[in-house]
C-alpha cells in the first residue's frame, strides 16, 4: 500500500518566460518564430538560449486533488499564481509556461524563479528543463524530482562540481531554494582537487531561488570536486551540468541535491554501463560522514556477460570519488551496482553515449529510502514535441534478499488515455526488469502518443529509475533520467 506524502512540495523551477500562446499545449510549445526571446538568459549560467521548463504533478492520494502553484520571481518580489487544477487519483497534470489556461496570473517574459506546489491530497512532482526552442540544435534536456517538505534540509550535499573541466569543458550550476518563510543567509563550501573555497549568499528571501556557481567562490578553471550548502533555514536544491560556454547547448544533466537524512552506508545503482554500445556510466560518490572512508563498489552484470566484480576507492569527509571505466570490470556490459562503506554516502550516476553525445544523470538510492512501492509522475509513449519524439523506459531493481513479484499500473491521462496493468513479473534478488522503451505485454500501445503516470509495487524493496530517450528516426536529444518516488 502506498504511504501518504505531505501535501506540500517545494520545487526549484526554472521557467523561461516566453510569450504565452493561447493555443499551445503543455508538451508542444509554439515554434521559436512565434516567441519573443527571453530576457536575462545570461544570469542562468546555462549556455545559449531557448530554455524553458514544464513540471508534472501526480496525485498519490485516494480522492481527486485540487492543486495550486505559486511562482516566486528570483529578480523581484513578485509572485504568480496558477488556477486550481483538479487531478484524479494516480493521474498527473503538466504545468507549462506556454499554456495560458494554467495561470490566473501568468509569469512574464524572462521569468526565472522557484515554486511551491500545494494540494489537499498527497502529491509528487518532477521537473523537465530543455532548450529545444533554440531550434534543431537545441537538444539539451534534464529532469529532476521536486522536493517534499520532509526532504528539505539546512544542509545539502552535491557529490560533483565541475568548472570548465576536462576535454568536454563541463561546468556545474546549482539552483538553491529557501523553502522557509524567513530571510536567510546561504553558505557554499566547494571542496576540490586544488583546495576549499567558500562563498556566502546573504539575505535570500522566503521561497526564493539563489543561483550558485563555482566561479562565485573562486574555484579555478579545470577544477573538480564536491559541494556542501548550509543555512539556518531549510533548503531544496538541484545540480545542473552543462557546457561551460556554447552558442546553443547540446547537453544538460540535472538531478537533486541530498539532505543528510538521505545518506546511507549502502546505496543502490539500478543501471550502470561499462562501454555498452558506446555508453559509459560514471558514479560520483560523496562521503557524508565525519572521517575518511573506504567506499566499496560491487558490479553485477545483467547483459553482455555475467558475474559480480569489485573495486574500492577512499574519500575524506565531504569529499567525493568517481567510479568510471573501472579497471577489471568487463566492457560491453551493463548491470547494477551496490555501494557500501562504514560512513554514510550519497551518489549520482552519469551516463554518456559517446556515439551520439547524449547524456543523463540520476541519484543513487539509499537503503533507508527504498520501499516496496514507487510512483513515477511522467511516462511517455511516442509523445512528440516540436523537434523530437520521446519514449520512456522503467528499470525496476529488486534490492531485497528474496525473489520479488513486481506489479505495475500505467495511468495515461493525455493523448491515448487509459489504464494498463501488465502481467506480474518475477525478479531475482539484485536483478532488474525493464518496461519499454517500445511495446511490452499489457503495456500502453507503443504506437499511440500518450503521457501519464506509473505506480510500481513489489513483494520486496525496489529501486526504480525512469529513463526517457528519443524515438528512432527523430533528431537525438539528451536522455532524461529521474528516480521514481518510493512510498
Amino acid at each position: 500500500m502506498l504511504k501518504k506524502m505531505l501535501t506540500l512540495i517545494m520545487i526549484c523551477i526554472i521557467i523561461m518566460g516566453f510569450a504565452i500562446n493561447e493555443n499551445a499545449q503543455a508538451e508542444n510549445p509554439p515554434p521559436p518564430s512565434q516567441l519573443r526571446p527571453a530576457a536575462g538568459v545570461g544570469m542562468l549560467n546555462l549556455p545559449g538560449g531557448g530554455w524553458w521548463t514544464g513540471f508534472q504533478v501526480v496525485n498519490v492520494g485516494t480522492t481527486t486533488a485540487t492543486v495550486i502553484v505559486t511562482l516566486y520571481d528570483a529578480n523581484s518580489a513578485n509572485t504568480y499564481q496558477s488556477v486550481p487544477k483538479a487531478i484524479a487519483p494516480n493521474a498527473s497534470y503538466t504545468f507549462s509556461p506556454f499554456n495560458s489556461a494554467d495561470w490566473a496570473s501568468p509569469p512574464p517574459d524572462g521569468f526565472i524563479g522557484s515554486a511551491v506546489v500545494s494540494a489537499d491530497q498527497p502529491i509528487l512532482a518532477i521537473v523537465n528543463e530543455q532548450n529545444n526552442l533554440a531550434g534543431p540544435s537545441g537538444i539539451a534536456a534534464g529532469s529532476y524530482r521536486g522536493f517534499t517538505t520532509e526532504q528539505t534540509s539546512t544542509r545539502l550535499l552535491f557529490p560533483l562540481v565541475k568548472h570548465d573541466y576536462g576535454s568536454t569543458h563541463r561546468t556545474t550550476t546549482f539552483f538553491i531554494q529557501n523553502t522557509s518563510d524567513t530571510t536567510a543567509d546561504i553558505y557554499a563550501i566547494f571542496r576540490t582537487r586544488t583546495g576549499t573555497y567558500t562563498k556566502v549568499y546573504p539575505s535570500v528571501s522566503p521561497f526564493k531561488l539563489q543561483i550558485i556557481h563555482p566561479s562565485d567562490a573562486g574555484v579555478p578553471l579545470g577544477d573538480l570536486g564536491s559541494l556542501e550548502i548550509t543555512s539556518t533555514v531549510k533548503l531544496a536544491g538541484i545540480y545542473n551540468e552543462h557546457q561551460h560556454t556554447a552558442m546553443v547547448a547540446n547537453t544538460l544533466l540535472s538531478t537533486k541535491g541530498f539532505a543528510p537524512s538521505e545518506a546511507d552506508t549502502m546505496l543502490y545503482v539500478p543501471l550502470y554501463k561499462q562501454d555498452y554500445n558506446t555508453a559509459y556510466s560514471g558514479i560520483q560518490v560523496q562521503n557524508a560522514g565525519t572521517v575518511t572512508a573506504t567506499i566499496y563498489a560491487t558490479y553485477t552484470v545483467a547483459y553482455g556477460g555475467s558475474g559480480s566484480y569489485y573495486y574500492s576507492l577512499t574519500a575524506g569527509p565531504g569529499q567525493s570519488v568517481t567510479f568510471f571505466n573501472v579497471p577489471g570490470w568487463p566492457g560491453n556490459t551493463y548491470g547494477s551496482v551496490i555501494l557500501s562503506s562504514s560512513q554514510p554516502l550519497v551518489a549520482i550516476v552519469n551516463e554518456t553515449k559517446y556515439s551520439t553525445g547524449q547524456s543523463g544523470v540520476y541519484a543513487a538510492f539509499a537503503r533507508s529510502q527504498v520501499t516496496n512501492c514507487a510512483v513515477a509522475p511522467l511516462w511517455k509513449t511516442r509523445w512528440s514535441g516540436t523537434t523530437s519524439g520521446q519514449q520512456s523506459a522503467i528499470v525496476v531493481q529488486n534490492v531485497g534478499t528474496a525473489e520479488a513479484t513486481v506489479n505495475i499500473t500505467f495511468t495515461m491521462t493525455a493523448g491515448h488515455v487509459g489504464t494498463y496493468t501488465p502481467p506480474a513479473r518475477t525478479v531475482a534478488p539484485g536483478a532488474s526488469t525493464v518496461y519499454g522503451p517500445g511495446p511490452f505485454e499489457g503495456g500502453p500501445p507503443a504506437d499511440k502518443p500518450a503521457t501519464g503516470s506509473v505506480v510500481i509495487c513489489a513483494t520486496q524493496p525496489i529501486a526504480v529509475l525512469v529513463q526517457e530517450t528519443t524515438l528512432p528516426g527523430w533528431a537525438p536529444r539528451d536522455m532524461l533520467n529521474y528516480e521514481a518516488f518510493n512510498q
Side-chain angles (χ1 to χ4, degrees):
M1 176 177 289
L2 295 178
K3 180 178 69 176
K4 281 194 173 184
M5 301 296 295
L6 296 175
T7 58
L8 180 65
I9 289 182
M10 302 295 185
I11 306 175
C12 293
I13 288 181
I14 310 306
I15 294 182
M16 300 311 302
F18 296 94
I20 291 176
N21 184 315
E22 293 289 337
N23 299 315
Q25 300 299 313
E27 290 290 331
N28 285 290
S33 61
Q34 296 181 19
L35 300 170
R36 297 194 297 274
V41 172
M43 71 161 291
L44 285 171
N45 289 307
L46 299 182
W51 296 100
W52 68 283
T53 302
F55 56 103
Q56 294 76 33
V57 180
V58 60
N59 175 8
V60 294
T62 57
T63 62
T64 297
T66 301
V67 178
I68 297 176
V69 180
T70 302
L71 303 178
Y72 294 82
D73 194 325
N75 297 315
S76 73
N78 295 336
T79 61
Y80 306 92
Q81 196 83 24
S82 75
V83 298
K85 289 291 181 180
I87 304 176
N90 295 326
S92 60
Y93 182 80
T94 299
F95 288 87
S96 167
F98 306 113
N99 188 357
S100 60
D102 285 349
W103 307 102
S105 52
D109 290 0
F111 174 86
I112 175 175
S114 51
V116 173
V117 185
S118 58
D120 54 5
Q121 286 287 299
I123 53 173
L124 300 167
I126 64 163
V127 184
N128 290 336
E129 302 172 281
Q130 51 196 310
N131 72 336
N132 63 318
L133 295 178
S137 58
I139 61 173
S143 185
Y144 63 89
R145 301 198 315 186
F147 287 71
T148 63
T149 51
E150 63 186 6
Q151 293 167 336
T152 62
S153 175
T154 57
R155 179 182 176 222
L156 295 176
L157 301 170
F158 295 90
L160 185 60
V161 167
K162 295 180 179 180
H163 194 197
D164 196 12
Y165 178 77
S167 60
T168 55
H169 298 280
R170 297 292 185 88
T171 289
T172 51
T173 301
F174 303 87
F175 298 111
I176 308 300
Q177 184 182 10
N178 175 358
T179 65
S180 77
D181 57 5
T182 303
T183 298
D185 298 339
I186 295 176
Y187 300 84
I189 305 172
F190 295 88
R191 296 181 177 92
T192 72
R193 292 178 175 179
T194 63
T196 300
Y197 305 87
T198 61
K199 172 70 175 179
V200 180
Y201 300 85
S203 303
V204 179
S205 299
F207 305 112
K208 295 288 283 292
L209 169 69
Q210 176 63 55
I211 299 174
I212 293 179
H213 192 272
S215 61
D216 298 345
V219 175
L221 294 173
D223 215 351
L224 180 76
S226 60
L227 173 64
E228 179 179 355
I229 302 289
T230 61
S231 183
T232 56
V233 305
K234 290 189 174 183
L235 309 171
I238 62 169
Y239 151 102
N240 290 286
E241 179 179 326
H242 51 84
Q243 296 146 285
H244 188 67
T245 59
M247 291 297 294
V248 177
N250 59 27
T251 190
L252 177 69
L253 292 84
S254 298
T255 192
K256 63 191 293 296
F258 298 91
S261 61
E262 297 175 290
D264 205 310
T265 56
M266 184 170 289
L267 304 178
Y268 302 109
V269 175
L271 183 61
Y272 174 90
K273 297 180 180 180
Q274 180 92 345
D275 193 18
Y276 182 81
N277 194 22
T278 77
Y280 281 90
S281 296
I283 307 174
Q284 291 77 36
V285 190
Q286 186 175 11
N287 177 359
T290 57
V291 299
T292 297
T294 300
I295 301 168
Y296 301 91
T298 301
Y299 175 40
T300 300
V301 176
Y303 295 91
S306 61
S308 295
Y309 301 83
Y310 309 93
Y311 203 72
S312 64
L313 294 169
T314 300
Q319 295 180 336
S320 60
V321 293
T322 299
F323 294 87
F324 173 77
N325 197 18
V326 179
W329 289 11
N332 200 27
T333 61
Y334 73 85
S336 58
V337 175
I338 295 177
L339 303 165
S340 61
S341 178
S342 62
Q343 293 292 298
L345 310 171
V346 295
I348 63 172
V349 187
N350 289 321
E351 178 187 330
T352 298
K353 188 175 179 66
Y354 284 88
S355 60
T356 63
Q358 293 166 290
S359 298
V361 65
Y362 68 93
F365 294 79
R367 175 174 53 184
S368 60
Q369 304 291 315
V370 295
T371 60
N372 289 31
C373 286
V375 172
L378 180 62
W379 166 274
K380 295 182 180 180
T381 60
R382 295 193 63 86
W383 193 263
S384 302
T386 56
T387 60
S388 62
Q390 294 85 45
Q391 58 186 350
S392 296
I394 288 184
V395 183
V396 182
Q397 182 184 14
N398 174 8
V399 298
T401 57
E403 188 175 78
T405 300
V406 177
N407 289 283
I408 188 166
T409 300
F410 296 82
T411 303
M412 313 310 291
T413 53
H416 185 75
V417 301
T419 300
Y420 303 88
T421 55
R425 296 186 183 182
T426 300
V427 184
S432 299
T433 187
V434 181
Y435 299 84
F440 52 89
E441 183 183 3
D447 60 342
K448 296 180 179 180
T451 63
S453 57
V454 189
V455 175
I456 312 99
C457 285
T459 55
Q460 291 286 307
I462 52 176
V464 180
L465 171 67
V466 183
Q467 186 171 80
E468 180 182 315
T469 55
T470 308
L471 285 159
W474 292 78
R477 190 183 74 168
D478 267 349
M479 293 174 282
L480 283 84
N481 293 335
Y482 74 91
E483 317 82 35
F485 295 84
N486 281 97
Q487 303 290 279

